[in-house]
Amino acid sequence: MYLDKTILNNTVIVCPYLNPFKLKGPKSREMNSSDVNFSLLQNQLNVPAEFFWPEKDVAPSDGDLDLPVIDLSGFLNGNEAETQLAAKAVREACMGHGTFLVVNHGFKSGLAEKALEISSLFFGLSKDEKLKAYRIPGNISGYTAGHSQRFSSNLPWNETLTLAFKKGPPHVVEEFLTSRLGNDRQEIGKVFQEFCEAMNGLIMDLMELLGISMGLKDRTYYRRFFEDGSGIFRCNYYPPCKQPEKALGVGPHNDPTAITVLLQDDVVGLEVFVGGRWQTVRPRPGAFVVNVGDTFMALSNGNYKSCYHRAVVNKEKVRRSLVFFSCPREDIVPPPELVESKEASRQYPDFTWAQLQKFTQSGYRVDNTTLHNFSSWLASNPDKKST
């Protein structure tokens, strides 16, 4: 994923762009989101070459991934015995592949379903209406199709609506959408604002559970660490694709952010790379997928694994997903007890979010060795440690 940033309420927010290929050499032709019309492309028998991916990246899934389903009800209700059981399951998943499912997560009944419905409403608007929310280069928030304003090859087969979130007031998600789409579309902003606030609350709960799962003396360490952070909300829309064996909705990548919470609809698409093969994460009604990102891997001193994943496309069906990325505050420093004991050794240097963002924009392709290579980059560029 490549990162873009903007300023929101005097806070730098970095945005992950879900395409791990940085453009090299001249563009074959200039494109932007107004050039990509999936309502036409999805009916073509031959996918344009710009959307082809290398064979290794489109290798088929080798079965389903059996993920733990973490029931959060006991933790949220203060039941210590159930909390410890949930924490144990989280620890095992995060040390293995960095992903798990959560149910009974405290969301208001019907909110998740309503948000998916509203995403369909937005992506069902005319092309001209969607382009009212066009993402201006250099900003986070806005609509894109195929990320074609940034890349000319290995394009993702998707449309996205990305929205910067910061706990308010002001209600930045609602205000952005209303300002772009007009008062006639206020419901879109209102529902997405409510969904983001609920997601942010869930992130805080998950951060505390992650602290418990690591046995921290201060179980609220990560919750407090992220209280002043920000978030990025993304709606993904994957149209049908006549050649799904050649295209990808999102290419293989690790999220550079801390943790990602994902709501899938009922169409298969998310796949995780485990044990040298791609495995499918099947949708489960009422469940969210939680993925560990690179930043949290650093905050855990390497104990928890960043999840390497992708999104495939379907020949006949539309697929939708709603994603919330948690972004840390500036300094990335793990809890002292994870790096100061006799048994522990420091896996990554102290760094800032701005440094990681600069590294991932410097031409390096984000993958499952990003933090190792980033640490080497910092060591070979001592002046970068103070920037």
Side-chain angles (χ1 to χ4, degrees):
M1 293 161 71
Y2 280 83
L3 305 177
D4 218 336
K5 67 180 180 179
T6 192
I7 305 295
L8 180 64
N9 294 347
N10 298 317
T11 301
V12 176
I13 300 179
V14 184
C15 178
Y17 280 92
L18 301 183
N19 187 322
F21 288 87
K22 187 174 177 69
L23 201 61
K24 295 183 179 180
K27 290 186 178 182
S28 58
R29 61 188 179 92
E30 291 298 321
M31 300 172 64
N32 58 46
S33 287
S34 62
D35 294 324
V36 178
N37 190 337
F38 279 110
S39 64
L40 299 177
L41 288 175
Q42 68 189 28
N43 294 316
Q44 293 185 10
L45 294 178
N46 296 313
V47 171
E50 291 92 342
F51 293 92
F52 286 5
W53 286 74
E55 287 187 16
K56 63 182 178 61
D57 291 330
V58 294
S61 171
D62 187 17
D64 294 347
L65 181 60
D66 184 20
L67 289 183
V69 181
I70 314 297
D71 187 336
L72 295 182
S73 59
F75 165 65
L76 295 176
N77 291 325
N79 185 309
E80 188 60 24
E82 292 186 20
T83 294
Q84 292 302 324
L85 287 175
K88 181 176 183 293
V90 166
R91 179 177 179 82
E92 291 173 354
C94 290
M95 293 185 73
H97 42 62
T99 186
F100 54 93
L101 303 177
V102 293
V103 296
N104 295 324
H105 34 64
F107 260 55
K108 185 176 77 174
S109 177
L111 177 57
E113 293 79 6
K114 183 64 175 178
L116 274 174
E117 178 185 320
I118 290 295
S119 75
S120 293
L121 171 63
F122 173 81
F123 290 113
L125 297 175
S126 70
K127 183 180 176 183
D128 288 343
E129 276 207 84
K130 286 185 287 190
L131 287 175
K132 290 179 181 178
Y134 175 70
R135 188 187 69 81
I136 300 170
N139 292 332
I140 290 176
S141 296
Y143 165 78
T144 63
H147 290 317
S148 52
Q149 78 278 31
R150 290 173 56 85
F151 305 98
S152 65
S153 61
N154 306 124
L155 298 182
W157 191 265
N158 72 10
E159 298 178 51
T160 65
L161 176 64
T162 303
L163 301 163
F165 173 81
K166 183 76 175 176
K167 189 174 180 180
H171 295 151
V172 292
V173 170
E174 183 177 351
E175 290 181 4
F176 172 83
L177 289 171
T178 300
S179 70
R180 291 292 194 91
L181 301 177
N183 291 331
D184 290 345
R185 302 294 182 186
Q186 281 186 333
E187 184 186 22
I188 297 177
K190 288 182 181 296
V191 172
F192 284 164
Q193 179 73 42
E194 184 179 6
F195 185 80
C196 285
E197 290 172 359
M199 273 288 191
N200 190 61
L202 175 58
I203 290 286
M204 293 301 104
D205 291 332
L206 288 170
M207 287 299 175
E208 183 170 342
L209 186 60
L210 285 163
I212 296 169
S213 75
M214 301 198 76
L216 300 185
K217 295 176 183 176
D218 178 3
R219 62 198 289 169
T220 66
Y221 180 92
Y222 292 126
R223 177 189 280 270
R224 291 185 293 102
F225 190 92
F226 282 87
E227 278 179 344
D228 296 327
S230 57
I232 298 162
F233 173 54
R234 173 167 292 142
C235 307
N236 292 312
Y237 180 87
Y238 305 100
C241 178
K242 297 299 184 184
Q243 292 181 292
E245 72 281 0
K246 293 183 177 293
L248 287 172
V250 178
H253 66 282
N254 292 66
D255 296 337
T257 44
I259 63 172
T260 303
V261 181
L262 168 72
L263 171 64
Q264 303 192 81
D265 66 6
D266 58 357
V267 179
V268 170
L270 176 63
E271 295 182 354
V272 174
F273 196 72
V274 180
R277 58 198 178 104
W278 289 105
Q279 298 184 59
T280 299
V281 178
R282 291 199 169 272
R284 180 186 176 98
F288 290 131
V289 182
V290 180
N291 289 340
V292 173
D294 283 347
T295 296
F296 197 87
M297 184 161 72
L299 284 169
S300 73
N301 197 36
N303 288 292
Y304 285 3
K305 309 305 179 188
S306 181
C307 178
Y308 192 49
H309 57 288
R310 69 180 184 184
V312 299
V313 288
N314 190 283
K315 190 172 185 177
E316 305 294 339
K317 298 179 179 180
V318 168
R319 177 175 178 263
R320 303 159 301 161
S321 68
L322 304 179
V323 190
F324 194 89
F325 304 94
S326 60
C327 302
R329 61 193 192 195
E330 190 62 14
D331 297 319
I332 311 301
V333 183
E337 62 219 79
L338 296 184
V339 296
E340 294 177 355
S341 69
K342 292 181 180 179
E343 297 79 15
S345 60
R346 191 65 183 269
Q347 299 299 307
Y348 309 104
D350 287 348
F351 63 92
T352 67
W353 185 231
Q355 288 171 327
L356 178 59
Q357 181 248 349
K358 183 174 182 179
F359 175 70
T360 56
Q361 288 187 328
S362 66
Y364 177 78
R365 176 181 172 178
V366 177
D367 56 21
N368 52 1
T369 62
T370 296
L371 282 180
H372 172 78
N373 291 318
F374 172 63
S375 298
S376 299
W377 178 76
L378 276 181
S380 62
N381 295 273
D383 58 309
K384 305 299 182 186
K385 295 181 180 180
S386 60
T387 60

